Amino acid sequence: MDTIYEPARQIPVVREADVCVLGGGCTGVFAAIRAARLGMRVLLIEREGMLGGAAVGGLVNIWHTLMDTENREQIIAGLTEETISRLRSRGALTVQENRSSTYNFNPMELTILLDEMIRENRVGLMLHTAYAAAVAEGDRVRAVIVENKDGRRAVRASFFIDATGDGLAARDLGMPVYDHEYIQPPTPVFHLQGNLEGVNVDRLIREHGAEFGLPDDWGWSTHVAGLEGISMRADQHIFGVRCDRADDLTRAEVEGRRLVRGLVSLLQTYGRPDTHYAVSNLCSSLGLRETVHVRTRFRASERALLTGERYADPILQGTYPVDVHHAEDGGISFKYLDGTRTTIWGKGTRVETGNWREEASLSGPPARFYQVPFGILAGEEYANFIAAGRMVNADEGAFGALRVMVNLNQLGEAAGAAAALCLDRGEDIRTLDGASVTRALRDGGSAL
Ligand SMILES: Cc1cc2nc3c(=O)[nH]c(=O)nc-3n(C[C@H](O)[C@H](O)[C@H](O)COP(=O)(O)OP(=O)(O)OC[C@H]3O[C@@H](n4cnc5c(N)ncnc54)[C@H](O)[C@@H]3O)c2cc1C
């Protein structure tokens, strides 16, 4: 590749903080708030103009259950529960009683609430500011370079949390980054205006999708809490792209919008004749399920999650099933804690079911929930750095379960608590006692 020389220059240090969080998705916001509540001076840096990441810019508006599989014990609380109850009190959240989808919220209300929570907790905020590079000396990260309307600037901090989803700082710092053989494909999400009563969208796509360039691909949709006549649609995937690559991401964004238009055209042609179907909101960023993963001390495995392995220093508890969107054949596979498994291809064109516990000759009662220990956050390379979010260190199956927000929210909270403990005690993340993080999370309202 041809190159040019970028001259070295002095970069003004515009902010200093105890903890600097890169990326203001829910993971990053919750990391920032936890650290602030433990007395840290925190700065949160977000590339977009809004907080919430995939939940807001990607219009992904479901948080799953906070209870165990028997609905007996609450296993998730903390900032997830706090956010749910605040959204509910302003009419921006509804509760759905089915197997895996529980809380449905209005993404626009979520971003407004996150602004309030950031302000209340005195977290410093830089929006429209993109992380661009990291500066390390030995095993300590000293500063990050950011870019915004003021130009290229530096931020110094004692501890850094990378919550960019893609592990951008971890990659730049030379931490071991890897990808799965099958990377879960992205989906363009949009809000559809128009009455769908009596319209079977899946059947229309199966029968007429090809006329509009829409493949028979698994997808889903839901309502948007508090909005009449609007549905959230996630009907199609984009295959064969790697969204950690700039050119692929560009191609995927454009293809995603073509698919959205295709679906609206299909409904305008074959939907209810008395209804005008329209796009009322389009994701500002394509829904990225997966890019890369950052290697840390502990790698979550599907087997340990589904069999409910227990740890002395848990930082996350969950029940969301292994949920893997196939990389190329329009299918999706679920494996639940109770042993059942289902694979669906296309719009229900083919379905296969089974029981993975029986197939693995497992006896005894199934686990009611799973746990993940603190080691999943601690890398071997840096004393003052954590990557938290969908770059989580997990095999394909475990990632399929951990990638949802009720889980990643907890990873964020744990990252914030761990950063605060390290700074309070002058400790290194690599030697920090994981049980002390569990205790700090419990004291701060987690259900661990
Ligand atoms: C279509 C789809 C449907 C899904 N459905 C569900 C569901 O129903 N329920 C569920 O819980 N989960 C669902 N998920 C998964 C879930 O939404 C994501 O895994 C999760 O939100 C990822 O969280 P994150 O904080 O790691 O990343 P993100 O939410 O993507 O947050 C990363 C943040 O970092 C910012 N950022 C990135 N680069 C930079 C930079 N250079 N500088 C500064 N900021 C930067 C981004 O703008 C963003 O705000 C779905 C995902 C997709 C794609």
Side-chain angles (χ1 to χ4, degrees):
M1 187 190 284
D2 190 16
T3 60
I4 60 158
Y5 172 72
E6 185 186 15
R9 53 182 158 156
Q10 293 298 117
I11 304 279
V13 178
V14 287
R15 298 283 186 98
E16 305 222 16
D18 297 324
V19 179
C20 174
V21 181
L22 308 169
C26 296
T27 313
V29 170
F30 288 3
I33 292 175
R34 275 291 193 166
R37 286 186 182 175
L38 288 167
M40 297 295 120
R41 228 172 6 124
V42 184
L43 177 66
L44 175 60
I45 292 173
E46 167 56 43
R47 183 182 57 187
E48 307 295 333
M50 289 185 197
L51 298 174
V56 173
L59 301 176
V60 175
N61 68 328
I62 298 279
W63 282 358
H64 299 95
T65 183
L66 309 185
M67 303 296 289
D68 70 1
T69 53
E70 293 175 6
N71 222 18
R72 264 199 287 141
E73 187 185 343
Q74 182 170 348
I75 54 153
I76 301 172
L79 287 166
T80 301
E81 186 178 31
E82 195 175 316
T83 305
I84 285 171
S85 77
R86 291 180 70 168
L87 284 170
R88 196 176 205 169
S89 70
R90 50 184 76 177
L93 177 135
T94 53
V95 185
Q96 289 175 313
E97 300 300 344
N98 68 25
R99 187 172 186 171
S100 63
S101 302
T102 309
Y103 301 99
N104 179 307
F105 55 83
N106 175 334
M108 289 72 82
E109 293 277 9
L110 174 65
T111 199
I112 293 169
L113 176 61
L114 294 179
D115 284 346
E116 290 171 21
M117 291 169 75
I118 284 294
R119 212 166 36 236
E120 288 162 9
N121 288 282
R122 297 174 197 281
V123 171
L125 179 62
M126 295 175 86
L127 292 177
H128 291 297
T129 301
Y131 156 81
V135 179
E137 283 166 20
D139 66 355
R140 297 199 85 84
V141 184
R142 296 292 182 196
V144 289
I145 310 296
V146 297
E147 287 183 340
N148 60 21
K149 293 218 176 194
D150 297 331
R152 209 163 153 84
R153 297 288 182 263
V155 168
R156 226 187 248 129
S158 305
F159 205 104
F160 291 86
I161 297 173
D162 177 349
T164 59
D166 295 320
L168 297 175
R171 177 200 64 188
D172 295 345
L173 286 163
M175 290 181 73
V177 168
Y178 66 96
D179 44 53
H180 288 148
E181 190 179 348
Y182 300 104
I183 298 176
Q184 296 207 33
T187 287
V189 181
F190 75 106
H191 286 175
L192 174 78
Q193 177 194 283
N195 183 2
L196 286 172
E197 230 179 288
V199 179
N200 184 333
V201 180
D202 285 358
R203 189 176 55 77
L204 288 183
I205 292 176
R206 263 198 318 266
E207 291 176 1
H208 301 286
E211 297 162 39
F212 302 89
L214 301 173
D216 181 21
D217 179 14
W218 188 89
W220 62 285
S221 67
T222 185
H223 70 283
V224 185
L227 299 190
E228 296 292 327
I230 301 289
S231 51
M232 174 276 202
R233 310 270 348 162
D235 296 85
Q236 307 280 337
H237 298 99
I238 295 155
F239 298 109
V241 286
R242 285 203 41 164
C243 291
D244 56 331
R245 294 183 182 160
D247 285 346
D248 275 25
L249 183 56
T250 302
R251 196 152 52 83
E253 289 278 13
V254 174
E255 171 61 6
R257 291 191 277 273
R258 187 194 68 73
L259 290 167
V260 166
R261 184 59 235 166
L263 181 57
V264 177
S265 296
L266 175 139
L267 290 168
Q268 286 170 342
T269 310
Y270 294 107
R272 291 170 64 101
D274 61 352
T275 298
H276 173 65
Y277 295 100
V279 179
S280 74
N281 197 357
L282 191 55
C283 59
S284 62
S285 183
L286 179 69
L288 304 190
R289 284 197 177 76
E290 181 172 15
T291 54
V292 300
H293 300 272
V294 178
R295 195 156 314 272
T296 50
R297 207 162 65 211
F298 178 88
R299 186 172 197 238
S301 72
E302 174 182 310
R303 173 83 180 193
L305 284 192
L306 285 180
T307 54
E309 189 99 18
R310 293 292 181 258
Y311 303 93
D313 55 356
I315 54 160
L316 177 163
Q317 297 187 149
T319 60
Y320 189 73
V322 169
D323 164 356
V324 178
H325 295 241
H326 299 188
E328 48 207 19
D329 66 2
I332 186 168
S333 296
F334 294 101
K335 281 187 192 164
Y336 294 88
L337 284 166
D338 69 4
T340 52
R341 65 170 178 80
T342 309
T343 298
I344 307 166
W345 285 270
K347 301 291 180 207
T349 311
R350 185 155 73 92
V351 179
E352 189 191 286
T353 57
N355 190 303
W356 64 264
R357 283 178 57 85
E358 288 168 9
E359 288 152 15
S361 304
L362 288 181
S363 54
R368 289 182 291 115
F369 62 92
Y370 48 77
Q371 292 187 330
V372 169
F374 167 71
I376 203 160
L377 288 179
E380 305 286 357
E381 293 74 21
Y382 292 95
N384 62 339
F385 179 88
I386 293 175
R390 69 174 151 73
M391 73 293 266
V392 64
N393 190 17
D395 67 21
E396 272 98 343
F399 173 69
L402 294 178
R403 67 189 181 84
V404 295
M405 290 179 271
V406 288
N407 289 338
L408 299 185
N409 291 348
Q410 296 178 77
L411 272 193
E413 292 189 53
L421 288 179
C422 280
L423 295 185
D424 250 356
R425 301 170 174 184
E427 271 210 53
D428 182 319
I429 190 71
R430 295 169 295 188
T431 50
L432 185 69
D433 168 28
S436 67
V437 180
T438 308
R439 280 195 298 277
L441 290 168
R442 263 187 214 135
D443 293 346
S446 290
L448 296 164

